[in-house]
Amino acid sequence: MAVTDIQHIAAGLEDVRRGIKSAYSWRVENKLDDNTKIIVNDIFDCKNLPILVAVTKSKPVNAIIEAYRCGQRIFGENYVKELGDKANDPRIVEQCPDIQWHFIGHLQKSNVNKLINVSNLCVIQTIHNASLADAVNQRWSSSKQLQVMIQVNTSMEEAKHGVTSYDELYTLANHIARNCDRLKLIGLMTIGSLTYSSAAGGDNATTVNCLANDISDAKVEPSDCGTNIPTNPDFVKLCQFRDQLQCEQEFKEFILLSMGMSQDYELAIKLGSDCVRVGSTIFGKR
């Protein structure tokens, strides 16, 4: 990363924070949130605003330190080795004592031990089967439960990981709740189709109104909203799965949704996202 890119991290963070605040305000004003009485004031003071995970894949340590200096505390990495190297880097340890790491990439059982040893590991967002959940649960030794999310393959693409049906989701969530006492299920995560993510650059209120009206039954087709207006059925499906799961007696506690990246985080928030994963908008293209 060039020095000029480092100098623009503060502006990138501010732009994203402004976008999060604006999108969440829209959601509240349009009564798409459970808590419609929230008054959104300063972005740093409103605990109800969606979580920003700053994705630092392939970014150098000095970029992370600069973002931390600008007030960012939650960071995400895709690869276990890269996360370990950065989290245990003496500069990060010394200058970023309150950093929180989310693992957001594909996790293999062979890498669980390495991941568990990462300093300040806060959340694993990509638990995709019971075997992986068991491996993480077995190796997590802290007295505090490790927070995890279940990855949902909403686009049903073969190249992506995650459960693909509500039955699979319920079975895995139930397994974690009953058999993994060292883990705490806090949410659902999806990556979604690149096609819909790329189209989100032109989203507007009409798009979101069309989709929001269909969240309850997830009957969404791109043609429903007009040929020139983008939609994102992946986000709608994740919302539907969350709503179904919270109707189950054993999952009454609120479940977060992690959906939305640099291209589509504002649309994701309008549709109900509680956590967005943004990298290039903050740090520049890889």
Side-chain angles (χ1 to χ4, degrees):
M1 177 179 283
V3 173
T4 52
D5 291 326
I6 293 291
Q7 294 172 345
H8 285 90
I9 287 175
L13 270 171
E14 184 58 33
D15 285 345
V16 172
R17 289 167 177 159
R18 200 161 35 238
I20 290 173
K21 181 177 179 180
S22 175
Y24 185 70
S25 297
W26 187 96
R27 189 167 102 199
V28 171
E29 291 166 3
N30 287 274
K31 302 186 184 301
L32 296 182
D33 200 278
D34 291 337
N35 188 355
T36 58
K37 297 181 180 179
I38 296 171
I39 298 176
V40 180
N41 295 313
D42 187 82
I43 193 162
F44 296 109
D45 295 332
C46 185
K47 65 180 180 180
N48 298 288
L49 283 168
I51 299 163
L52 170 60
V53 177
V55 180
T56 51
K57 173 184 175 182
S58 80
K59 302 304 178 185
V61 165
N62 61 337
I64 297 170
I65 293 172
E66 176 63 16
Y68 186 94
R69 188 190 67 79
C70 294
Q72 182 63 25
R73 292 295 180 268
I74 303 175
F75 295 82
E77 282 288 343
N78 293 72
Y79 301 116
V80 173
K81 185 181 185 306
E82 186 174 356
L83 172 54
D85 289 345
K86 290 175 178 176
N88 297 314
D89 187 289
R91 293 167 293 174
I92 295 288
V93 173
E94 179 182 354
Q95 299 182 52
C96 308
D98 299 320
I99 197 168
Q100 298 177 33
W101 291 105
H102 286 219
F103 184 73
I104 59 174
H106 176 56
L107 179 60
Q108 297 176 314
K109 284 199 295 182
S110 59
N111 284 325
V112 167
N113 279 338
K114 295 178 183 176
L115 180 61
I116 293 306
N117 289 323
V118 166
S119 300
N120 292 334
L121 178 65
C122 181
V123 180
I124 298 177
Q125 292 201 15
T126 50
I127 299 295
H128 56 272
N129 60 43
S131 178
L132 178 61
D134 289 340
V136 174
N137 184 69
Q138 181 181 358
R139 290 163 177 79
W140 183 252
S141 59
S142 172
S143 58
K144 184 178 180 180
Q145 288 179 304
L146 176 63
Q147 299 178 108
V148 299
M149 296 185 181
I150 293 175
Q151 183 173 2
V152 181
N153 184 358
T154 51
S155 57
M156 302 184 72
E157 297 172 78
E158 291 185 4
K160 289 183 174 143
H161 300 273
V163 300
T164 57
S165 68
Y166 177 74
D167 287 343
E168 289 181 15
L169 170 62
Y170 175 76
T171 298
L172 179 52
N174 192 54
H175 178 86
I176 292 172
R178 291 178 178 273
N179 303 298
C180 300
D181 60 327
R182 298 174 183 174
L183 308 182
K184 180 177 178 58
L185 178 62
I186 64 165
L188 310 179
M189 176 267 211
T190 191
I191 296 174
S193 168
L194 180 61
T195 300
Y196 293 124
S197 295
S198 299
D203 77 281
N204 54 32
T206 304
T207 305
V208 177
N209 281 327
C210 176
L211 285 173
N213 290 335
D214 286 327
I215 283 178
S216 61
D217 57 14
K219 295 177 181 177
V220 178
E221 296 294 337
S223 59
D224 291 342
C225 299
T227 56
N228 296 319
I229 302 175
T231 66
N232 198 314
D234 290 314
F235 296 163
V236 175
K237 181 183 285 189
L238 198 67
C239 288
Q240 183 199 31
F241 279 8
R242 191 265 302 277
D243 291 347
Q244 285 182 264
L245 191 61
Q246 290 196 163
C247 287
E248 308 286 356
Q249 188 62 40
E250 58 268 53
F251 298 108
K252 294 298 185 183
E253 190 172 342
F254 187 72
I255 295 172
L256 301 173
L257 296 181
S258 175
M259 58 188 196
M261 298 185 286
S262 287
Q263 309 97 313
D264 55 15
Y265 72 93
E266 290 175 278
L267 176 60
I269 290 170
K270 290 177 180 179
L271 287 175
S273 180
D274 306 295
C275 175
V276 293
R277 312 177 303 273
V278 181
S280 59
T281 304
I282 299 170
F283 299 102
K285 301 289 185 182
R286 291 194 295 274

